[in-house]
Amino acid sequence: MNNAFFKKALTLASLFVLLLCSMGGVAAQDTVTLTWWTTSGRDSPEPAIRNVIAAFEAEHPNIKVDVSIMAEGAYNDLMSTAIAAGEGVPDLAWYWSNNWLPQALDITDRLDNDPDISRDIFHTEYFNNWVVWNDMVIALPYDIGANFVMYNKDVFDDEGVPYPTADWTPEDYIEIAKALRNEDKRRWGGDRPRGPFRALWRNMGATNPYSDDSTTVEGYINGPESVAAYTWLWDLVDSGATPTPADLEVLGTEGTGPVDLFIAGRLGMATLNPGSMVSTLEAGVNFGVVPEPRVPGNENWVHGWALRAGIWKNSEHPDEAWEFLKFWNGPPGQRILMEQGLGHFPPIPSLLAEYEDADTDWFQGFLNVLDATQTASWRKDHPCWRGAVIRGVRDAWDLIMLGEIERDEVQATLDAMVEPGQAALDECVPRLGG
Amino acid sequence: MRRGTEGAQGPGDGGGNLMLSAWRNLTAQQRRDAKTGYLALSPWMVGFVVFYAFPIIATIYFSFNEWTLAEPPTWVGLDNYVRMFTRDPLFVSSLKATTLFVIISLPTKLVLGLMLALLLNLKIPGMNAFRTIFFIPAVISGVAVSLMWIWFLNPDTGVVNTLLSYFGIRGPLWFWDLHWALPSVAIMSIWKVGGAAIIYLAGLQNIPAHLYEAAEIDGASKWSRFWRITLPLLTPTLFFQLIIELIDAFKIFTEAYVITHGGPLKATYFFLYYFYEEAFRNANMGYASALALFLLVVIMGCTVFVVRTSKGWVYYEN
C-alpha cells in the first residue's frame, strides 16, 4: 500500500511539475523583453521616458522594454563598441552616427504596410533626409532641431533698431550687428558663424565645398560664391561687432552656441537652436526667431536635424521592436514627451500644432525656419564634406577669424586651399563614398 | 650535475623541456612558492594580455586594413603607411606641432621641476603646505585644468593679461594667437610641474647627508655641492623623470581637444588629436591604427635612445 501510495504521489508530483513547466513555457514564449539604449536630457527627461514605456507596456502586456538610460558619451562608446563587435547591440537604439546606419534594420515594408502609422505623418524634409538611407527607411525621426537666428527684442528696442525679418540679407546682418554694438554695455551685435558651407554659406550661393559627383573642389572651395561668402565673413570680423573666438570660448556654452551671452543681453543676435529657445524662455527674455540671412534670389536653406531611432538588423524580436518603435516615435510616444519634456519638438506637424506656445511669434518663426530646404539633403549623400574636406581647408577660416589676411587676399587664400581640399576629398571618397 | 639538467642542455632541446626540467629540479617548497608567485602575478598578467597585448596586436592588424567600424575591415596592405609618409599634410602638421611641444615643454619641465624640488627641500616652517599646494595641479583633471586656463588666458578678461596690463603690457591672444597657442599649451603643461618636483624631492631626500657634511668640511661651496653631489646622485631620478615626461609630452591631447581644437592654423594640431579625429570623427579606424602605431614606435625609439645613452650620464651609487 505504501508502495502504491508512493507511486500515485510520484505520478501526481510529476504531473504537477510538468504542468508548472508548461505554464512557465507559455509565459516565457508570450513575453518578449526588448533592450533599448537611450540618453536623457531636458527634452527627454527620464520620468517621461519611463512614462512612455509604461504606456506602451500597458497596451502591449506581452512586451517588456528593458531600458538603459545613459550619458551621451557613454552611449556613443557603447554603441560604437557593440557595432564594431557585431554583437550586443540592443534591439532598439539611436542611430545618430552615419557610421552605424548599415547595422540598422530596413523597416521600409513594415512602415508602408502598417495601418497604425504612415510616413506621411512626419515632416517630409526631416523624414527624407534623416531616416532614409540608400533608399531604405532605417529609422523613424524624433525630436527635430534647426539653427536659426534668435534676436533679443529688448536689446533691439534699447538701441532703436527694427527687428529683422525673414527676408533679411547677410549685409543687413552686419549693419544690424554694428548698430546693436554698445561698448558701454559690453554688448556685441551678433555672433560669428561656426563654420563654412553651412546654411548661411548656401544662402549666399556657395552651396557645396566640392562638386555633386565628388570629384573636384576646384571652382567650389575657391569659386566666386565661396569667395563672396568668405569675404562677407572678413567684413563681419572686421566690423568689431562680434565676439572674438576667445570670447566665445570663454563665454559661450560648449556645443550649443553662445546662448548664455544672448540671455545675458550681451549679444543682440545669435545663431542658436530649439534648446536655446527653451532656456531663453525660462530666463524670461523677450526674443524672436528668423531664418539665417540670405542673398535675394538664392534658395532659403536651414541646417536642421532629427534624431533617429531604429531597430538592430540582427534583433531577435524585430516584430516586437517595431511595435515599440512606432509607439515611441509615433504620435502616442512623442505626445507624452512633448507634454512632459522640456523643448521636445516632434517631427510630426500635426503634433507641433498642439504645442502649448504654438501661437507665439517665436514659435511661428521656428515653424517658418523648419520649412526651408535642409543642408542635409546634400550632405547625407556626401559624407566627406565635413570630417575630411572642411577640415582640410580650415586654415582659410582660421586666417580670417584671426584677422591674419587682408580683404583682397581672400581669393588667393581660397585658391591655396584647393590642393589640401582635393587631397582630402580624394582620400575620403573611396572610403566613405560620395 | 643535478638530476635532469643533462638532457635539457643537449642539442635540439626546446625551451619547454628546459623549463620542465627546471621545474622538476625545484623542491616541494620552491614549487609551492613559485605557484604562489604566479598566482599573485596572474591578475596583472591577465590585465596585461587583455588590455595591452591584445589591443596592440589588434592595432597592428587593423593598421593594414580599412575599417569604418560598421562594416568588416578590408585588407589594404601598406596603403595606410604609404598615405602617411607620402601624401598626408595633416600627418606632417601634427608631427611638427607635437615635436615642437616636446622640445619646449620637456626640458623646461625637467629643469623647473628640479628647481622647485630644491626649494621644497629647504627646511622652513610650513613646507608641507607648500609641497601640497605645488602638487595639487598634478592631480586635477585635465579637462578642469583646461577650462581654468581658458579663463586665465582670456585675452580681454583673463587674469594674466589683466596683470600684464598693470605694467603697461598688452598681452597676446594666447590660445587664439597663431604664435602663442602652442607656448600657451606648454605653459599649462609646465604648470603641472609639481608632480615631477615631488619625485625629485624623494630622490633628493635619498642622498646621504654625510656626503654634504664631508663636502662642507672640505670647504666645498653650495654650487660645488650641487654639481658634485646632488646632481650626480639625482641622475637616476632624472633618468626616470626624463622617460616619463617624454612619453607624457608625446601624448598631449586634452588641451587641444578642450581648448584649441587643433587651431589656430594647426598650431596645436597634436598627433593624438589627429589620431582622435581620424578614428572617431572621420570613421577611419585603419588609418588611425597606423597613426597610433607610428606614435608607439616614435616613443619607443626615443625611450630606447634615452636608455642607451643613460650609461654615460646616470650614476648609480652601488
Side-chain angles (χ1 to χ4, degrees):
Chain A
M1 184 179 170
N2 277 349
N3 203 18
F5 174 77
F6 180 73
K7 277 182 181 171
K8 278 181 187 172
L10 192 66
T11 308
L12 275 172
S14 304
L15 281 171
F16 184 67
V17 169
L18 275 173
L19 184 68
L20 279 180
C21 288
S22 64
M23 283 173 72
V26 168
Q29 274 175 1
D30 281 354
T31 303
V32 166
T33 300
L34 300 171
T35 48
W36 165 229
W37 287 359
T38 187
T39 59
S40 75
R42 285 157 54 103
D43 52 348
S44 304
E46 185 171 339
I49 292 172
R50 295 203 182 277
N51 287 342
V52 175
I53 291 172
F56 171 77
E57 288 179 345
E59 268 189 29
H60 301 80
N62 296 329
I63 305 175
K64 297 287 171 208
V65 180
D66 179 12
V67 65
S68 299
I69 300 171
M70 55 191 94
E72 193 175 314
Y75 178 87
N76 289 336
D77 292 345
L78 281 172
M79 269 297 277
S80 292
T81 310
I83 280 179
E87 58 186 53
V89 181
D91 297 307
L92 294 133
W94 299 112
Y95 284 80
W96 54 50
S97 165
N98 287 350
N99 204 32
W100 301 341
L101 296 184
Q103 291 287 319
L105 182 72
D106 176 5
I107 54 172
T108 313
D109 290 341
R110 290 174 193 276
L111 178 64
D112 290 341
N113 296 311
D114 195 314
D116 296 339
I117 195 166
S118 154
R119 63 175 78 197
D120 298 337
I121 67 166
F122 296 105
H123 194 295
T124 311
E125 279 266 326
Y126 286 86
F127 187 90
N128 290 337
N129 288 324
W130 291 94
V131 301
V132 178
W133 178 73
N134 285 351
D135 297 326
M136 297 180 290
V137 180
I138 43 78
L140 291 181
Y142 170 95
D143 198 21
I144 50 178
N147 282 140
F148 39 75
V149 177
M150 286 172 63
Y151 58 95
N152 186 322
K153 288 182 175 175
D154 293 338
V155 170
F156 274 71
D157 294 344
D158 199 22
E159 302 294 340
V161 177
Y163 301 150
T165 52
D167 60 350
W168 64 333
T169 67
E171 278 65 37
D172 290 340
Y173 184 90
I174 294 179
E175 291 309 315
I176 293 174
K178 285 199 278 197
L180 295 177
R181 184 184 176 205
N182 188 325
E183 284 194 36
D184 294 338
K185 295 182 177 172
R186 299 177 65 212
R187 177 189 292 153
W188 296 281
D191 67 342
R192 297 181 183 186
R194 266 157 250 157
F197 296 101
R198 295 163 70 102
L200 181 58
W201 249 236
R202 287 177 163 253
N203 285 349
M204 289 192 268
T207 48
N208 308 322
Y210 53 89
S211 57
D212 283 344
D213 61 2
S214 307
T215 56
T216 183
V217 300
E218 176 73 53
Y220 292 84
I221 288 284
N222 60 338
E225 294 85 2
S226 176
V227 172
Y230 277 97
T231 305
W232 173 85
L233 178 70
W234 193 96
D235 290 338
L236 178 68
V237 170
D238 187 57
S239 74
T242 67
T244 63
D247 293 320
L248 282 174
E249 193 69 51
V250 174
L251 303 169
T253 306
E254 177 68 26
T256 57
V259 65
D260 295 332
L261 280 180
F262 180 76
I263 288 173
R266 293 191 58 198
L267 253 184
M269 304 177 288
T271 307
L272 296 166
N273 56 48
S276 314
M277 292 195 303
V278 176
S279 307
T280 309
L281 272 177
E282 284 179 332
V285 175
N286 188 16
F287 71 96
V289 170
V290 281
E292 293 190 66
R294 172 171 56 106
V295 170
N298 285 332
E299 195 169 357
N300 192 11
W301 292 88
V302 62
H303 174 60
W305 59 87
L307 299 184
R308 50 194 171 209
I311 302 169
W312 185 33
K313 69 177 181 185
N314 295 327
S315 167
E316 289 177 3
H317 311 293
D319 296 335
E320 291 80 3
W322 168 247
E323 289 300 321
F324 181 68
L325 186 68
K326 72 182 186 190
F327 186 91
W328 172 269
N329 281 55
Q334 299 225 32
R335 179 175 282 111
I336 294 173
L337 286 158
M338 187 175 80
E339 288 169 359
Q340 298 182 9
L342 203 53
H344 176 85
F345 298 102
I348 302 172
S350 60
L351 269 187
L352 275 179
E354 296 175 20
Y355 198 85
E356 61 175 341
D357 290 316
D359 348 340
T360 58
D361 284 352
W362 64 264
F363 194 84
Q364 290 301 316
F366 171 55
L367 290 184
N368 183 31
V369 167
L370 295 183
D371 288 334
T373 312
Q374 284 193 11
T375 54
S377 63
W378 186 83
R379 287 178 188 172
K380 68 172 187 157
D381 297 323
H382 296 82
C384 292
W385 84 276
R386 190 174 185 182
V389 176
I390 295 300
R391 182 181 62 174
V393 302
R394 189 182 141 172
D395 285 0
W397 182 267
D398 283 356
L399 284 166
I400 293 172
M401 282 292 195
L402 295 170
E404 290 278 332
I405 58 170
E406 296 300 323
R407 196 173 193 270
D408 58 6
E409 291 174 317
V410 172
Q411 174 77 63
T413 305
L414 291 173
D415 286 342
M417 294 297 112
V418 169
E419 193 182 335
Q422 188 67 46
L425 183 67
D426 292 344
E427 179 281 321
C428 179
V429 170
R431 191 162 46 81
L432 296 183
Chain B
M1 188 176 287
R2 287 184 298 177
R3 183 170 61 85
T5 53
E6 192 177 8
Q9 288 170 344
D13 265 342
N17 281 344
L18 194 67
M19 285 174 70
L20 195 64
S21 91
W23 180 257
R24 282 177 184 152
N25 286 336
L26 296 177
T27 64
Q29 180 61 42
Q30 284 173 323
R31 285 182 191 176
R32 273 198 299 275
D33 289 347
K35 281 179 187 169
T36 310
Y38 285 122
L39 199 65
L41 270 177
S42 60
W44 180 87
M45 288 171 79
V46 169
F48 177 78
V49 169
V50 173
F51 298 115
Y52 288 90
F54 177 71
I56 289 173
I57 292 165
T59 305
I60 293 170
Y61 170 73
F62 289 129
S63 75
F64 296 105
N65 283 269
E66 191 175 290
W67 187 30
T68 57
L69 278 183
E71 305 284 2
T74 316
W75 185 264
V76 292
L78 289 171
D79 277 9
N80 287 329
Y81 292 96
V82 172
R83 178 191 160 196
M84 194 194 299
F85 294 121
T86 61
R87 53 173 200 275
D88 184 1
L90 289 176
F91 168 74
V92 178
S93 303
S94 61
L95 197 59
K96 197 173 141 191
T98 309
T99 309
L100 207 55
F101 174 78
V102 172
I103 290 171
I104 294 175
S105 71
L106 182 62
T108 316
K109 223 170 161 180
L110 287 174
V111 173
L112 283 183
L114 179 57
M115 287 166 67
L116 183 60
L118 289 169
L119 288 173
L120 294 177
N121 201 29
L122 296 174
K123 291 180 176 55
I124 56 169
M127 184 51 82
N128 284 340
F130 284 119
R131 287 173 186 170
T132 308
I133 289 166
F134 280 106
F135 188 64
I136 284 173
V139 293
I140 301 178
S141 132
V143 173
V145 168
S146 299
L147 293 174
M148 190 185 76
W149 277 90
I150 288 177
W151 282 93
F152 272 4
L153 296 183
N154 178 264
D156 299 323
T157 53
V159 176
V160 177
N161 277 9
T162 305
L163 287 176
L164 287 174
S165 70
Y166 293 146
F167 299 98
I169 301 168
R170 185 180 164 80
L173 295 174
W174 299 107
F175 295 120
W176 300 274
D177 183 301
L178 177 58
H179 307 291
W180 275 97
L182 193 132
S184 302
V185 176
I187 289 168
M188 271 183 69
S189 168
I190 292 161
W191 179 71
K192 291 186 271 187
V193 76
I198 293 295
I199 307 281
Y200 281 125
L201 190 59
L204 284 172
Q205 296 191 340
N206 261 345
I207 299 174
H210 68 261
L211 295 178
Y212 290 110
E213 288 162 11
E216 208 171 340
I217 291 165
D218 289 345
S221 66
K222 281 187 177 175
W223 188 242
S224 180
R225 273 179 271 161
F226 173 76
W227 278 108
R228 295 186 183 279
I229 300 173
T230 307
L231 203 55
L233 290 180
L234 207 58
T235 49
T237 313
L238 197 62
F239 171 55
F240 170 80
Q241 281 295 107
L242 177 58
I243 289 178
I244 295 296
E245 296 291 348
L246 180 77
I247 295 170
D248 207 37
F250 271 111
K251 284 167 31 188
I252 177 83
F253 169 75
T254 311
E255 292 81 353
Y257 179 73
V258 176
I259 307 173
T260 61
H261 316 294
L265 286 174
K266 313 229 168 29
T268 59
Y269 203 74
F270 298 123
F271 202 86
L272 269 192
Y273 185 73
Y274 181 38
F275 157 81
Y276 166 80
E277 283 209 322
E278 279 298 301
F280 301 107
R281 287 194 179 155
N282 207 13
N284 202 354
M285 286 292 172
Y287 191 61
S289 298
L291 289 172
L293 272 183
F294 176 80
L295 186 64
L296 179 73
V297 169
V298 168
I299 291 177
M300 207 181 275
C302 291
T303 308
V304 167
F305 175 76
V306 171
V307 171
R308 285 274 167 89
T309 58
S310 69
K311 285 174 189 162
W313 61 273
V314 179
Y315 171 76
Y316 292 103
E317 203 178 2
N318 55 356

